[in-house]
Amino acid sequence: MRIGELAERAGVTPRTIRYYESLGLLGPSEREGAGFRYYTEAELSRLQTIHNLKGLGLSLEEISTVIPLYFEDPTRLSGKRKIVEILKSHLHETDEKIEALNQFRSELQANISRIQQWIDEHSESQ
Amino acid sequence: MRIGELAERAGVTPRTIRYYESLGLLGPSEREGAGFRYYTEAELSRLQTIHNLKGLGLSLEEISTVIPLYFEDPTRLSGKRKIVEILKSHLHETDEKIEALNQFRSELQANISRIQQWIDEHSESQ
DNA sequence: TCAAAACATAACGTTAACGTAAAGGTTTTA
DNA sequence: TAAAACCTTTACGTTAACGTTATGTTTTGA
């Protein structure tokens, strides 16, 4: 199949596929004739895997470290282990973000209260 | 004073001051001689106000809506009210972000557990 | 057989708030 | 009076993941 069909079946745009190719994430099986990209079911599968990993929140850079493991280890154990490792670091970062946001929230509340009080004090006569 | 001194006294770089000028946030009192920017204490005060508002987490775009009120209303009431309004919307957005992150955290946990279980099931013999 | 559909590459646009460098005037100070 | 210090404008770089032209080639269907 060519890029348009692959794109449609995977739910992405041709631009996305070419972009992934430029990152080394995915290549066409071959470039026949005048240079059109031709793909097989294997590439569709690989593209869907990329899609799934994106759904887990991995960046394309992270995916590029997972994909080789994922497709070159028949048991897929090493790929899965790598994913768990990445997800755990995401969990850690998420906890830190939540903490930082809670802190930020408190400061916002304090600022609102402080300024609102200033307003109340200076607009009593109105 | 010229841009270098203003920058140093306000704790920013000359580049920042020129950038603010390009956004209409701050202008020099005058451009004498060969085109040097000259500032007074009034611009220092304005720059410090911008700095303070940034400290509250306002974007330069938001600041540009606050600054005029702030410096053209002698009571500063309208400026303060606008700030409270913006801060409240920030509070709202922050709550939404925290909620989304908590949701994301749950999904991460679930994915980690699921994949880890897969690994455990497929690597018992090793 | 010819127009429409699909494909190709190249390159700019998107966001915020400046950092940094280039190439060149001006002011200050020793 | 000359060099150091300061100033000017212009413009590219920074981040991620593509979207969107623009321009030209190839395939396909009536």
Side-chain angles (χ1 to χ4, degrees):
Chain A
M1 77 191 98
R2 295 192 314 209
I3 198 169
E5 187 182 343
L6 177 64
E8 192 163 6
R9 290 180 62 186
V12 302
T13 68
R15 172 67 171 109
T16 297
I17 293 172
R18 294 194 194 99
Y19 179 59
Y20 288 176
E21 183 179 331
S22 78
L23 297 183
L25 278 178
L26 179 78
S29 315
E30 43 187 340
R31 304 274 291 243
E32 272 178 39
F36 282 16
R37 293 169 174 82
Y38 288 90
Y39 301 90
T40 67
E41 298 296 321
E43 278 78 44
L44 176 58
S45 164
R46 193 174 174 107
L47 189 48
Q48 285 167 338
T49 298
I50 293 172
H51 205 65
N52 290 338
L53 293 176
K54 281 204 65 179
L56 291 179
L58 303 220
S59 70
L60 292 180
E61 193 176 351
E62 289 171 328
I63 290 174
S64 71
T65 74
V66 172
I67 278 280
L69 303 175
Y70 217 80
F71 276 87
E72 283 158 24
D73 172 9
T75 76
R76 306 211 163 171
L77 260 176
S78 51
K80 301 274 188 183
R81 288 201 177 102
K82 183 75 178 178
I83 292 169
V84 166
E85 185 186 316
I86 292 175
L87 291 182
K88 281 186 177 172
S89 79
H90 283 199
L91 186 62
H92 199 67
E93 287 164 22
T94 302
D95 284 342
E96 285 175 349
K97 282 181 191 171
I98 290 173
E99 183 53 32
L101 276 179
N102 279 320
Q103 174 72 26
F104 181 62
R105 209 201 113 97
S106 302
E107 289 168 14
L108 266 179
Q109 279 281 24
N111 281 317
I112 290 172
S113 300
R114 180 171 55 76
I115 300 173
Q116 187 60 57
Q117 187 173 354
W118 187 97
I119 291 174
D120 293 345
E121 285 169 5
H122 291 75
S123 60
E124 283 169 357
S125 54
Q126 298 169 42
Chain B
M1 78 192 96
R2 294 189 317 209
I3 198 170
E5 188 183 341
L6 177 66
E8 193 164 2
R9 289 180 64 185
V12 304
T13 68
R15 171 68 170 109
T16 298
I17 294 173
R18 294 195 193 98
Y19 180 58
Y20 289 176
E21 183 179 331
S22 79
L23 297 183
L25 277 178
L26 179 77
S29 314
E30 41 186 342
R31 304 275 290 242
E32 273 178 37
F36 282 18
R37 293 169 174 83
Y38 288 90
Y39 302 89
T40 67
E41 298 296 320
E43 278 78 44
L44 176 58
S45 165
R46 194 175 175 104
L47 189 48
Q48 285 168 337
T49 297
I50 294 172
H51 206 63
N52 291 338
L53 294 176
K54 281 204 64 179
L56 291 179
L58 303 222
S59 71
L60 293 181
E61 193 175 352
E62 289 170 328
I63 290 175
S64 72
T65 73
V66 173
I67 278 279
L69 303 177
Y70 217 79
F71 276 88
E72 283 158 25
D73 172 9
T75 75
R76 306 213 162 170
L77 261 176
S78 50
K80 302 274 187 182
R81 287 202 177 102
K82 182 75 177 180
I83 292 169
V84 165
E85 184 188 315
I86 293 175
L87 290 182
K88 280 186 177 174
S89 81
H90 283 198
L91 186 63
H92 198 67
E93 286 165 22
T94 302
D95 284 342
E96 284 176 349
K97 283 182 190 171
I98 290 173
E99 182 52 33
L101 276 179
N102 279 321
Q103 175 71 27
F104 181 62
R105 207 202 114 96
S106 302
E107 288 168 14
L108 266 179
Q109 278 281 24
N111 281 318
I112 290 172
S113 300
R114 180 172 55 76
I115 300 173
Q116 186 60 57
Q117 187 174 354
W118 188 97
I119 292 173
D120 293 344
E121 284 169 6
H122 291 75
S123 60
E124 283 168 357
S125 54
Q126 297 168 43

